[in-house]
Amino acid sequence: MNKLYIGNVSAEASEEDFETIFEQWKIPHSGPFLVKTGYAFVDCPDEKAAMKAIDVLSGKVELHGKVLEVEHSVPKRQRSCKLQIRNIPPHMQWEVLDSMLAQYGAVESCEQVNTDTETAVVNVRYAAKDQARLAMEKLNGSMMENYALKVSYIPDETAAPEGPSAGGRRGFNARGPPRSGSPGLGARPKVQSDIPLRVLVPTQFVGAIIGKEGATIRNITKQTHSKIDIHRKENAGAAEKPITIHSTPEGCSNACRTIMEIMQKEALDTKFTEEIPLKILAHNNFVGRLIGKEGRNLKKIEQDTGTKITISPLQDLTLYNPERTITVKGAIEACARAEEEVMKKIRESYESDMAAMNLQSNLIPGLNLNALGLFPSGTPGMGPSMSSVPPPGAHAGCSSFGCSPYGGEGPFWASVLSASSQPLAQGHPESETVHLFIPALAVGAIIGKQGQHIKQLSHFAGASIKIAPAEGMDAKQRMVIIVGPPEAQFKAQCRIFGKLKEENFFGPKEEVKLEAHIKVPSFAAGRVIGKGGKTVNELQNLTCAEVVVPRDQTPDENDQVIVKISGHFFACQLAQRKIQEILAQVRRQQQPKPTSGAQPPLPRRK
């Protein structure tokens, strides 16, 4: 992406003119200028130089009475689904950008590009060419908070050639595989680090952190090469507001230290006498590993940094708040060192979960975690998407299906996977049947007009979804029968929980809690209960779900009994997976074992 197209070039322009301009603005180039009538081309040594040329020259520098337009040079065959959007307002919230891009189609990825400019730059990939073309037409030149957006194609190395020849036009060879050193590392909202740093700050200090007309936060962003979102509108009236910092680990830590210094200065200026601890938000799935066995990891961080660290209780978790608050008390430098150590552990946990995901890819074949929106985004409050099925890599993902406004549950799902049922010999996971009970009044919402919603849901999840007949005229609940492998169960149940919340069958501050029934072989029921109820009690403590195996059940015609699971979505999912793990262990133990001392038969010699 280092070749530039220079447009709106005067007929009087020469190669020497361009040499002078690039030298004046200290922009390196690695080859001669190819000047044509009305336009020109030039190669830059790297992407940084190309981006500088675009940022400094395009729409700003005049040559022989014409203002130059500079953008990436993209062969027609590579003008596919990838766009670069420049001149984005520096404090534009990610959710606003997401909703704007989603108007024109399914966004598969959106990566921020590090530049030296005050405004932001992102590379966007749409799912289809026509969507990218529409976004280009509508967004290029459009005004956003007094900034005129600039949109151009960037090379899509994965684009299939349009003609029969794989090599494209003669003389225009493909540029090779995409480079790994691009500025935006991975799908947005992550910028360089997959895990953003999220902190809570007292509301009264938010103004000081932002500064007059945004000057302070703009300065922090520039100095630390970070993208900082201050979620001011969340939890109106709350004493604390979350801040999300996207950058490298070092950039996150530098931004965090600066924010703490600003709060300390503001406290002195306003004679605020209370201690201002550092409060880090972290997904619950990471916290156990942060604490370590018998609290060893946490104690070591405290000892090494001279801080006091406490963590909010499990009871504070809800379906819509999977984060726990890590409170660090001490001097600013000590808290900054503790933040580095805490986030190092959290990032290690995330990477471990990702590795586990990759190792278990055969457990749930074809699982597209981005399509589920299961990885941390650090951008809460995402509204429901208008799309019925989230596109692969879409940021909203599961959020658009109402599962979690946090927008990311990768590590949770990784833990679910590790507890999932074992695959069959052919490598495919076993199909499971779950009976989920919903309010009778919600049946219409789940079915949708002319059955459209339940059909879309079934297609999206890859599961059979049916609603059983009512058991009586006054029945307050209806049973939804879901049949499919673990991935399908997760997606289908996720959507049903979310739909009930969206349609206001539960209050705005009320958790969606449902009851699910799964059937287990009668001989395995004792294993689920455990000696003296030990296993079922551990299940309940681990998952926060209520798990009940009713006594005195009469096994059905398949010699199966019911296990009842009640709780919010994540609790139900984890409980289901743990129970399936127990059943898998029972099945393995029942498999015939070879007779002791018996030797496997030798292959017959031909």
Side-chain angles (χ1 to χ4, degrees):
M1 237 164 45
N2 305 334
K3 185 168 186 146
L4 296 178
Y5 167 84
I6 306 173
N8 202 34
V9 174
S10 167
E12 303 169 30
S14 66
E15 186 177 337
E16 290 73 21
D17 291 330
F18 287 113
E19 291 276 5
T20 302
I21 289 173
F22 272 61
E23 187 176 337
Q24 178 186 344
W25 291 98
K26 296 182 173 59
I27 302 169
H29 57 95
S30 55
F33 289 87
L34 181 62
V35 182
K36 302 285 186 180
T37 304
Y39 62 93
F41 294 101
V42 68
D43 281 314
C44 289
D46 53 38
E47 194 165 347
K48 185 177 180 182
M51 284 302 303
K52 182 177 181 181
I54 293 171
D55 292 332
V56 170
L57 304 179
S58 188
K60 299 172 185 174
V61 173
E62 190 176 296
L63 179 61
H64 297 299
K66 287 195 168 187
V67 178
L68 300 176
E69 293 293 336
V70 184
E71 59 187 50
H72 296 288
S73 172
V74 186
K76 282 188 178 180
R77 70 176 181 280
Q78 290 187 357
R79 292 183 190 179
S80 180
C81 304
K82 291 183 74 174
L83 302 175
Q84 184 167 92
I85 304 176
R86 303 184 299 280
N87 210 35
I88 298 170
H91 300 300
M92 188 174 185
Q93 296 289 310
W94 280 117
E95 49 263 43
V96 176
L97 180 61
D98 277 330
S99 59
M100 179 183 76
L101 297 176
Q103 294 176 45
Y104 309 109
V107 178
E108 290 192 344
S109 67
C110 182
E111 307 168 351
Q112 183 168 355
V113 179
N114 285 339
T115 67
D116 295 329
T117 59
E118 180 182 290
T119 54
V121 179
V122 295
N123 291 345
V124 181
R125 174 190 283 278
Y126 278 93
K129 283 185 182 181
D130 57 339
Q131 296 171 357
R133 191 184 308 117
L134 180 62
M136 174 102 166
E137 293 170 357
K138 298 292 185 182
L139 293 178
N140 192 29
S142 65
M143 297 301 294
M144 184 67 64
E145 298 179 19
N146 297 322
Y147 290 84
L149 299 181
K150 296 186 181 298
V151 187
S152 60
Y153 280 106
I154 54 177
D156 185 357
E157 294 89 347
T158 63
E162 293 182 7
S165 169
R169 290 178 295 161
R170 186 165 57 181
F172 288 83
N173 295 323
R175 300 187 183 190
R179 295 177 301 277
S180 60
S182 59
L185 299 183
R188 219 259 326 125
K190 61 193 179 189
V191 179
Q192 299 205 14
S193 173
D194 286 348
I195 296 285
L197 170 63
R198 282 175 49 79
V199 296
L200 277 178
V201 301
T203 301
Q204 65 261 42
F205 296 132
V206 169
I209 294 167
I210 294 172
K212 189 175 181 181
E213 296 180 350
T216 305
I217 194 71
R218 192 157 54 241
N219 192 39
I220 299 172
T221 300
K222 192 170 184 179
Q223 287 182 351
T224 62
H225 302 288
S226 304
K227 168 68 179 172
I228 303 176
D229 293 329
I230 300 177
H231 309 289
R232 286 176 289 174
K233 295 181 181 179
E234 283 186 29
N235 306 325
E240 296 172 312
K241 297 291 182 182
I243 294 179
T244 304
I245 304 169
H246 306 268
S247 186
T248 61
E250 183 183 358
C252 288
S253 296
N254 290 339
C256 180
R257 183 185 287 105
T258 305
I259 288 169
M260 286 192 289
E261 290 169 352
I262 290 169
M263 290 194 294
Q264 191 68 48
K265 183 178 182 302
E266 180 70 8
L268 290 172
D269 292 346
T270 58
K271 297 180 180 178
F272 183 84
T273 56
E274 295 178 25
E275 184 179 6
I276 309 170
L278 170 63
K279 293 188 175 182
I280 302 170
L281 296 173
H283 192 281
N284 178 54
N285 192 72
F286 302 136
V287 171
R289 284 167 283 184
L290 169 65
I291 296 170
K293 191 174 183 181
E294 298 176 353
R296 289 173 193 163
N297 291 345
L298 209 57
K299 287 175 187 173
K300 188 176 188 307
I301 295 174
E302 287 180 320
Q303 290 167 1
D304 291 348
T305 61
T307 56
K308 176 65 178 173
I309 304 176
T310 55
I311 298 176
S312 61
L314 274 167
Q315 287 77 3
D316 292 352
L317 294 177
T318 68
L319 171 63
Y320 298 99
N321 177 29
E323 293 175 303
R324 292 172 74 180
T325 304
I326 302 163
T327 303
V328 185
K329 293 184 178 181
I332 287 179
E333 278 305 314
C335 288
R337 289 199 305 275
E339 177 274 326
E340 291 175 8
E341 294 301 317
V342 166
M343 289 306 296
K344 182 181 176 184
K345 284 287 181 191
I346 286 172
R347 291 184 184 106
E348 285 173 357
S349 299
Y350 173 77
E351 288 163 8
S352 173
D353 286 341
M354 287 293 291
M357 248 339 293
N358 293 332
L359 285 172
Q360 299 186 46
S361 59
N362 289 329
L363 186 62
I364 298 186
L367 178 64
N368 185 335
L369 292 166
N370 285 327
L372 288 174
L374 297 175
F375 287 111
S377 67
T379 307
M382 289 297 296
S385 165
M386 296 303 290
S387 170
S388 62
V389 178
H395 166 55
C398 199
S399 290
S400 65
F401 272 69
C403 164
S404 166
Y406 181 61
E409 303 304 330
F412 167 84
W413 182 237
S415 69
V416 166
L417 277 179
S418 65
S420 187
S421 58
Q422 297 298 311
L424 295 174
Q426 292 84 353
H428 297 291
E430 292 184 3
S431 183
E432 302 168 3
T433 300
V434 176
H435 295 168
L436 191 64
F437 291 83
I438 63 171
L441 295 174
V443 169
I446 299 299
I447 293 174
K449 189 175 181 180
Q450 296 179 337
Q452 281 299 104
H453 183 267
I454 200 167
K455 287 176 186 175
Q456 289 174 348
L457 175 55
S458 181
H459 176 72
F460 161 72
S464 166
I465 305 172
K466 297 178 181 178
I467 296 179
E471 293 186 354
M473 294 292 292
D474 300 326
K476 293 183 179 180
Q477 288 189 318
R478 292 284 292 276
M479 182 170 73
V480 183
I481 304 168
I482 307 168
V483 181
E487 174 194 0
Q489 291 290 345
F490 184 96
K491 291 195 281 189
Q493 293 178 49
C494 170
R495 177 57 185 139
I496 291 170
F497 272 79
K499 186 69 172 175
L500 296 179
K501 186 70 176 180
E502 288 170 18
E503 300 291 342
N504 299 316
F505 288 102
F506 291 79
K509 295 184 179 180
E510 186 182 3
E511 280 189 324
V512 180
K513 290 187 176 181
L514 300 179
E515 182 173 306
H517 291 184
I518 61 176
K519 290 186 175 183
V520 305
S522 58
F523 60 81
R527 290 288 296 274
V528 175
I529 297 169
K531 189 174 182 180
K534 181 182 178 183
T535 304
V536 78
N537 287 336
E538 287 177 349
L539 266 175
Q540 292 185 126
N541 292 334
L542 172 69
T543 66
C544 300
E546 182 182 350
V547 181
V548 177
V549 183
R551 295 181 180 276
D552 304 324
Q553 288 190 71
T554 302
D556 63 13
E557 65 277 10
N558 296 318
D559 197 30
Q560 292 181 320
V561 294
I562 291 171
V563 177
K564 297 181 179 180
I565 303 165
S566 302
H568 59 67
F569 174 71
F570 295 131
C572 277
Q573 285 302 299
L574 193 50
Q576 287 175 40
R577 302 272 62 82
K578 289 293 182 184
I579 290 170
Q580 292 294 348
E581 182 183 35
I582 292 171
L583 297 180
Q585 290 173 349
V586 172
R587 285 194 291 269
R588 285 196 298 272
Q589 289 170 358
Q590 283 198 325
Q591 289 176 354
K593 297 179 181 178
T595 309
S596 60
Q599 297 294 324
L602 294 172
R604 182 177 297 175
R605 189 173 295 177
K606 294 183 181 179

Coordinates of all heavy atoms in Angstrom, one line a residue, residues 432-440 442-443 446 454 457 464-469 471 476-483 488-500 506 512-519 562-573 576:
E432 N -27.2 -32.0 20.8 CA -27.8 -31.9 22.1 C -29.2 -31.4 22.0 O -29.6 -30.7 21.1 CB -27.0 -31.0 23.1 CG -25.6 -31.5 23.2 CD -24.7 -30.4 23.9 OE1 -25.3 -29.3 24.3 OE2 -23.5 -30.6 24.1
T433 N -30.1 -31.8 23.0 CA -31.4 -31.2 23.0 C -31.6 -30.5 24.4 O -31.3 -31.0 25.4 CB -32.5 -32.3 23.0 OG1 -32.3 -33.0 21.7 CG2 -33.9 -31.8 23.0
V434 N -32.0 -29.2 24.2 CA -32.3 -28.4 25.4 C -33.7 -27.9 25.3 O -34.2 -27.4 24.3 CB -31.3 -27.2 25.5 CG1 -31.6 -26.3 26.7 CG2 -29.9 -27.7 25.6
H435 N -34.4 -28.0 26.5 CA -35.8 -27.4 26.6 C -35.7 -26.1 27.3 O -35.3 -26.1 28.5 CB -36.7 -28.4 27.2 CG -37.0 -29.6 26.5 ND1 -37.6 -30.7 27.0 CD2 -36.7 -30.0 25.2 CE1 -37.6 -31.7 26.1 NE2 -37.1 -31.2 25.0
L436 N -35.9 -25.0 26.7 CA -35.8 -23.7 27.3 C -37.2 -23.1 27.5 O -38.0 -23.1 26.6 CB -35.0 -22.7 26.4 CG -34.5 -21.4 27.0 CD1 -33.6 -21.6 28.1 CD2 -33.9 -20.5 25.9
F437 N -37.5 -22.6 28.7 CA -38.8 -22.2 29.1 C -38.9 -20.7 29.0 O -38.1 -20.0 29.7 CB -39.3 -22.7 30.4 CG -39.5 -24.2 30.4 CD1 -38.4 -25.1 30.5 CD2 -40.8 -24.7 30.2 CE1 -38.6 -26.5 30.5 CE2 -41.0 -26.1 30.2 CZ -39.9 -27.0 30.3
I438 N -39.8 -20.1 28.2 CA -40.0 -18.7 28.1 C -41.4 -18.2 28.5 O -42.3 -19.1 28.6 CB -39.7 -18.2 26.6 CG1 -40.8 -18.9 25.7 CG2 -38.3 -18.6 26.2 CD1 -40.7 -18.3 24.3
P439 N -41.6 -17.0 28.8 CA -43.0 -16.5 29.1 C -43.9 -16.8 28.0 O -43.5 -16.6 26.8 CB -42.8 -15.0 29.4 CG -41.3 -14.8 29.7 CD -40.6 -15.9 29.0
A440 N -45.1 -17.3 28.3 CA -46.0 -17.6 27.2 C -46.3 -16.4 26.3 O -46.5 -16.5 25.1 CB -47.3 -18.1 27.8
A442 N -44.3 -14.3 25.3 CA -43.2 -14.0 24.4 C -43.1 -14.8 23.2 O -42.2 -14.6 22.3 CB -41.9 -14.1 25.2
V443 N -44.0 -15.8 23.1 CA -44.0 -16.7 21.9 C -44.0 -16.0 20.6 O -43.3 -16.3 19.7 CB -45.1 -17.8 22.0 CG1 -45.2 -18.6 20.7 CG2 -44.8 -18.7 23.2
I446 N -40.7 -14.4 19.6 CA -39.7 -15.4 19.2 C -40.1 -15.9 17.8 O -39.2 -16.1 17.0 CB -39.6 -16.6 20.2 CG1 -39.2 -16.1 21.6 CG2 -38.7 -17.7 19.7 CD1 -37.9 -15.4 21.6
I454 N -38.1 -16.9 13.9 CA -37.6 -18.2 14.3 C -36.9 -18.9 13.1 O -35.9 -19.6 13.4 CB -38.8 -19.0 14.8 CG1 -38.2 -20.2 15.7 CG2 -39.7 -19.6 13.7 CD1 -39.3 -20.8 16.6
L457 N -33.5 -17.3 13.0 CA -32.7 -17.7 14.2 C -32.2 -19.1 14.0 O -31.0 -19.5 14.3 CB -33.6 -17.6 15.4 CG -33.0 -18.2 16.7 CD1 -31.6 -17.5 17.0 CD2 -33.9 -18.0 17.9
S464 N -32.2 -26.8 15.1 CA -33.7 -27.0 15.0 C -34.3 -26.3 16.2 O -34.0 -26.6 17.3 CB -34.0 -28.5 15.0 OG -35.4 -28.6 15.1
I465 N -35.2 -25.4 15.9 CA -35.9 -24.6 17.0 C -37.4 -24.7 16.8 O -37.9 -24.3 15.8 CB -35.4 -23.2 17.1 CG1 -33.9 -23.1 17.1 CG2 -36.1 -22.4 18.2 CD1 -33.4 -21.7 17.0
K466 N -38.1 -25.3 17.8 CA -39.5 -25.5 17.8 C -40.1 -25.1 19.1 O -39.5 -25.2 20.1 CB -39.9 -26.9 17.4 CG -39.4 -27.4 16.1 CD -39.8 -28.9 15.8 CE -39.2 -29.3 14.5 NZ -39.5 -30.8 14.2
I467 N -41.3 -24.6 19.0 CA -42.1 -24.2 20.3 C -43.1 -25.3 20.5 O -44.0 -25.5 19.6 CB -42.6 -22.8 20.2 CG1 -41.5 -21.8 20.0 CG2 -43.5 -22.5 21.4 CD1 -41.9 -20.4 19.9
A468 N -43.1 -25.9 21.6 CA -44.0 -27.0 22.0 C -45.4 -26.4 22.3 O -45.5 -25.2 22.7 CB -43.5 -27.7 23.2
P469 N -46.5 -27.2 22.0 CA -47.8 -26.7 22.3 C -48.0 -26.3 23.8 O -47.3 -26.9 24.6 CB -48.7 -27.9 21.9 CG -47.9 -28.7 21.0 CD -46.5 -28.5 21.5
E471 N -49.4 -26.3 27.5 CA -49.9 -27.5 28.3 C -51.3 -27.2 28.8 O -51.9 -28.0 29.4 CB -48.9 -27.8 29.4 CG -47.6 -28.3 28.9 CD -46.7 -28.7 30.0 OE1 -47.1 -28.5 31.2 OE2 -45.6 -29.3 29.8
K476 N -48.5 -20.3 31.8 CA -47.7 -19.0 31.9 C -46.3 -19.2 31.2 O -45.7 -18.2 30.9 CB -47.5 -18.6 33.3 CG -48.8 -18.2 34.0 CD -48.5 -17.7 35.4 CE -49.8 -17.3 36.1 NZ -49.6 -16.8 37.5
Q477 N -45.9 -20.4 30.9 CA -44.7 -20.6 30.2 C -44.9 -21.5 29.0 O -45.8 -22.4 29.0 CB -43.6 -21.2 31.2 CG -43.1 -20.3 32.2 CD -42.0 -20.9 33.0 OE1 -42.0 -22.1 33.4 NE2 -40.9 -20.1 33.3
R478 N -44.0 -21.4 28.0 CA -44.0 -22.3 26.9 C -42.6 -22.8 26.7 O -41.6 -22.2 27.0 CB -44.4 -21.5 25.6 CG -45.8 -21.1 25.6 CD -46.8 -22.2 25.3 NE -46.7 -22.7 24.0 CZ -47.3 -22.2 22.9 NH1 -48.1 -21.1 23.1 NH2 -47.2 -22.7 21.7
M479 N -42.5 -24.0 26.2 CA -41.2 -24.7 26.1 C -40.7 -24.6 24.6 O -41.4 -24.9 23.7 CB -41.4 -26.2 26.4 CG -40.1 -27.0 26.3 SD -40.3 -28.7 27.0 CE -41.3 -29.4 25.7
V480 N -39.4 -24.1 24.5 CA -38.7 -24.0 23.2 C -37.8 -25.2 23.2 O -36.9 -25.3 24.0 CB -38.0 -22.7 23.1 CG1 -37.3 -22.6 21.7 CG2 -38.9 -21.5 23.3
I481 N -37.9 -26.0 22.1 CA -37.1 -27.2 22.0 C -36.0 -26.8 21.0 O -36.2 -26.6 19.8 CB -37.9 -28.4 21.5 CG1 -39.1 -28.6 22.4 CG2 -37.0 -29.6 21.3 CD1 -40.1 -29.6 21.8
I482 N -34.7 -26.9 21.5 CA -33.6 -26.5 20.7 C -32.7 -27.8 20.5 O -32.3 -28.4 21.5 CB -32.7 -25.4 21.3 CG1 -33.6 -24.2 21.6 CG2 -31.6 -25.0 20.4 CD1 -33.0 -23.2 22.5
V483 N -32.5 -28.2 19.2 CA -31.7 -29.3 19.0 C -30.5 -28.9 18.1 O -30.7 -28.4 17.0 CB -32.5 -30.4 18.3 CG1 -31.6 -31.7 18.0 CG2 -33.7 -30.8 19.1
A488 N -24.4 -24.3 18.2 CA -25.7 -23.9 17.8 C -26.6 -23.6 19.1 O -27.4 -22.6 19.1 CB -26.4 -25.0 17.0
Q489 N -26.4 -24.4 20.1 CA -27.1 -24.1 21.4 C -26.7 -22.7 21.9 O -27.6 -22.0 22.4 CB -26.7 -25.2 22.4 CG -27.2 -26.6 22.1 CD -28.7 -26.7 22.3 OE1 -29.4 -25.8 22.9 NE2 -29.3 -27.8 21.7
F490 N -25.4 -22.4 21.9 CA -25.0 -21.1 22.4 C -25.6 -20.0 21.7 O -26.2 -19.1 22.2 CB -23.5 -21.1 22.3 CG -22.9 -19.8 22.9 CD1 -22.4 -19.8 24.2 CD2 -22.8 -18.6 22.2 CE1 -21.9 -18.7 24.8 CE2 -22.3 -17.5 22.8 CZ -21.8 -17.5 24.1
K491 N -25.6 -20.1 20.3 CA -26.1 -19.0 19.5 C -27.6 -18.8 19.6 O -28.1 -17.7 19.8 CB -25.7 -19.2 18.0 CG -24.2 -19.0 17.8 CD -23.8 -18.8 16.4 CE -23.8 -20.1 15.6 NZ -23.2 -20.0 14.3
A492 N -28.3 -20.0 19.6 CA -29.8 -19.9 19.7 C -30.2 -19.4 21.0 O -31.1 -18.5 21.1 CB -30.3 -21.3 19.4
Q493 N -29.7 -19.9 22.1 CA -30.1 -19.5 23.4 C -29.7 -18.0 23.7 O -30.4 -17.3 24.3 CB -29.5 -20.4 24.5 CG -30.1 -21.8 24.5 CD -29.4 -22.7 25.5 OE1 -29.4 -22.4 26.7 NE2 -29.0 -23.9 25.1
C494 N -28.5 -17.7 23.2 CA -28.1 -16.3 23.3 C -29.1 -15.3 22.7 O -29.5 -14.3 23.3 CB -26.7 -16.1 22.6 SG -26.2 -14.4 22.4
R495 N -29.6 -15.6 21.5 CA -30.5 -14.8 20.8 C -31.9 -14.8 21.6 O -32.5 -13.7 21.7 CB -30.7 -15.3 19.4 CG -31.8 -14.5 18.6 CD -31.4 -13.0 18.6 NE -32.5 -12.2 18.0 CZ -32.9 -11.0 18.4 NH1 -32.4 -10.5 19.5 NH2 -33.8 -10.4 17.8
I496 N -32.3 -15.9 22.1 CA -33.6 -15.9 22.8 C -33.6 -15.1 24.0 O -34.5 -14.3 24.3 CB -34.0 -17.4 23.1 CG1 -34.3 -18.1 21.8 CG2 -35.2 -17.4 24.0 CD1 -34.5 -19.6 21.9
F497 N -32.5 -15.2 24.8 CA -32.3 -14.4 26.0 C -32.4 -12.9 25.6 O -33.0 -12.1 26.2 CB -31.0 -14.7 26.7 CG -31.1 -15.8 27.7 CD1 -31.1 -17.1 27.3 CD2 -31.1 -15.5 29.1 CE1 -31.1 -18.2 28.2 CE2 -31.1 -16.6 30.0 CZ -31.1 -17.9 29.6
G498 N -31.6 -12.6 24.6 CA -31.5 -11.2 24.1 C -32.9 -10.7 23.6 O -33.2 -9.5 23.9
K499 N -33.6 -11.5 22.9 CA -34.9 -11.0 22.3 C -35.8 -10.7 23.4 O -36.6 -9.7 23.4 CB -35.4 -12.2 21.4 CG -36.7 -11.8 20.7 CD -36.4 -10.7 19.6 CE -37.6 -10.5 18.7 NZ -37.4 -9.4 17.8
L500 N -35.9 -11.5 24.5 CA -36.8 -11.3 25.6 C -36.4 -9.9 26.3 O -37.3 -9.2 26.7 CB -36.7 -12.4 26.6 CG -37.1 -13.8 26.1 CD1 -37.0 -14.8 27.2 CD2 -38.6 -13.7 25.7
F506 N -38.6 -8.3 30.4 CA -38.0 -8.1 31.7 C -37.7 -6.7 31.8 O -37.5 -5.9 30.8 CB -36.7 -9.0 31.7 CG -36.9 -10.4 31.8 CD1 -37.2 -11.1 30.6 CD2 -36.9 -11.1 33.0 CE1 -37.4 -12.5 30.6 CE2 -37.1 -12.5 33.0 CZ -37.4 -13.2 31.8
V512 N -32.4 -11.2 32.7 CA -33.2 -12.2 32.0 C -32.7 -13.6 32.6 O -31.6 -14.0 32.4 CB -33.0 -12.2 30.5 CG1 -33.8 -13.3 29.9 CG2 -33.3 -10.9 29.9
K513 N -33.6 -14.2 33.4 CA -33.3 -15.5 33.9 C -34.3 -16.5 33.5 O -35.5 -16.2 33.6 CB -33.3 -15.4 35.5 CG -32.1 -14.7 36.0 CD -32.0 -14.8 37.6 CE -30.8 -14.1 38.1 NZ -30.7 -14.2 39.6
L514 N -33.9 -17.6 32.9 CA -34.8 -18.6 32.3 C -34.4 -20.0 32.9 O -33.3 -20.1 33.4 CB -34.7 -18.6 30.8 CG -35.0 -17.3 30.1 CD1 -34.9 -17.5 28.6 CD2 -36.5 -16.9 30.4
E515 N -35.3 -20.9 32.7 CA -35.1 -22.3 33.2 C -34.9 -23.1 31.9 O -35.6 -23.0 30.9 CB -36.3 -22.8 34.0 CG -36.1 -24.2 34.5 CD -37.2 -24.6 35.5 OE1 -37.4 -23.9 36.4 OE2 -37.8 -25.7 35.2
A516 N -33.8 -23.9 32.0 CA -33.5 -24.9 30.9 C -33.5 -26.3 31.4 O -33.1 -26.5 32.6 CB -32.2 -24.5 30.2
H517 N -34.0 -27.2 30.7 CA -34.0 -28.7 31.1 C -33.2 -29.4 30.1 O -33.3 -29.2 28.8 CB -35.4 -29.2 31.0 CG -36.3 -28.7 32.1 ND1 -37.6 -29.1 32.3 CD2 -36.1 -27.7 33.0 CE1 -38.2 -28.5 33.3 NE2 -37.3 -27.6 33.8
I518 N -32.3 -30.3 30.6 CA -31.6 -31.2 29.7 C -31.8 -32.6 30.3 O -32.0 -32.8 31.5 CB -30.1 -30.9 29.6 CG1 -29.4 -30.9 30.9 CG2 -29.9 -29.5 28.9 CD1 -27.9 -30.7 30.9
K519 N -31.8 -33.6 29.4 CA -32.0 -35.0 29.9 C -30.7 -35.7 29.9 O -29.9 -35.5 29.1 CB -33.0 -35.7 28.9 CG -34.4 -35.2 29.0 CD -35.4 -36.0 28.2 CE -36.8 -35.5 28.4 NZ -37.8 -36.4 27.6
I562 N -34.6 -35.7 34.0 CA -34.4 -34.3 33.7 C -33.5 -33.6 34.7 O -33.5 -33.9 35.9 CB -35.8 -33.5 33.7 CG1 -36.6 -34.0 32.5 CG2 -35.6 -32.0 33.7 CD1 -38.0 -33.5 32.5
V563 N -32.6 -32.7 34.2 CA -31.8 -31.8 35.1 C -32.3 -30.4 34.8 O -32.3 -30.0 33.6 CB -30.3 -31.9 34.8 CG1 -29.5 -30.9 35.7 CG2 -29.8 -33.4 35.1
K564 N -32.7 -29.7 35.8 CA -33.2 -28.3 35.7 C -32.1 -27.3 36.0 O -31.4 -27.4 37.0 CB -34.4 -28.1 36.6 CG -35.6 -29.0 36.3 CD -36.7 -28.7 37.3 CE -38.0 -29.5 37.0 NZ -39.1 -29.2 37.9
I565 N -31.9 -26.3 35.1 CA -30.9 -25.3 35.2 C -31.6 -23.9 35.1 O -32.3 -23.7 34.1 CB -29.8 -25.4 34.1 CG1 -29.2 -26.8 34.1 CG2 -28.8 -24.3 34.3 CD1 -28.4 -27.1 32.9
S566 N -31.4 -23.1 36.1 CA -32.0 -21.8 36.1 C -31.0 -20.7 36.3 O -30.1 -20.9 37.2 CB -33.1 -21.7 37.2 OG -34.1 -22.7 37.0
G567 N -31.1 -19.6 35.6 CA -30.1 -18.5 35.8 C -30.0 -17.6 34.6 O -30.8 -17.8 33.6
H568 N -29.1 -16.6 34.6 CA -28.9 -15.8 33.5 C -28.1 -16.6 32.4 O -27.7 -17.7 32.6 CB -28.2 -14.5 33.8 CG -26.9 -14.6 34.5 ND1 -25.8 -15.1 33.8 CD2 -26.4 -14.3 35.7 CE1 -24.7 -15.1 34.6 NE2 -25.1 -14.7 35.8
F569 N -28.0 -15.9 31.2 CA -27.5 -16.6 30.1 C -26.1 -17.3 30.3 O -26.0 -18.5 30.0 CB -27.4 -15.7 28.9 CG -26.7 -16.3 27.7 CD1 -27.4 -17.2 26.9 CD2 -25.4 -15.9 27.3 CE1 -26.8 -17.8 25.8 CE2 -24.8 -16.5 26.2 CZ -25.5 -17.5 25.5
F570 N -25.1 -16.6 30.8 CA -23.8 -17.1 30.9 C -23.8 -18.3 32.0 O -23.1 -19.3 31.8 CB -22.8 -16.1 31.4 CG -22.6 -15.0 30.3 CD1 -22.7 -13.7 30.6 CD2 -22.4 -15.4 29.0 CE1 -22.5 -12.7 29.6 CE2 -22.2 -14.4 28.0 CZ -22.2 -13.1 28.3
A571 N -24.6 -18.1 33.0 CA -24.6 -19.1 34.1 C -25.2 -20.4 33.5 O -24.7 -21.5 33.7 CB -25.5 -18.6 35.3
C572 N -26.3 -20.2 32.7 CA -27.0 -21.4 32.1 C -26.0 -22.1 31.2 O -25.9 -23.4 31.2 CB -28.2 -21.0 31.4 SG -29.7 -20.8 32.4
Q573 N -25.3 -21.3 30.4 CA -24.4 -21.9 29.4 C -23.3 -22.7 30.1 O -23.0 -23.9 29.7 CB -23.8 -20.9 28.5 CG -24.8 -20.3 27.5 CD -25.3 -21.4 26.5 OE1 -24.5 -22.0 25.8 NE2 -26.6 -21.6 26.5
Q576 N -24.6 -25.9 31.6 CA -24.9 -26.9 30.6 C -23.6 -27.6 30.1 O -23.6 -28.8 29.9 CB -25.6 -26.3 29.4 CG -27.1 -25.9 29.6 CD -27.7 -25.2 28.5 OE1 -27.5 -25.5 27.3 NE2 -28.5 -24.1 28.7

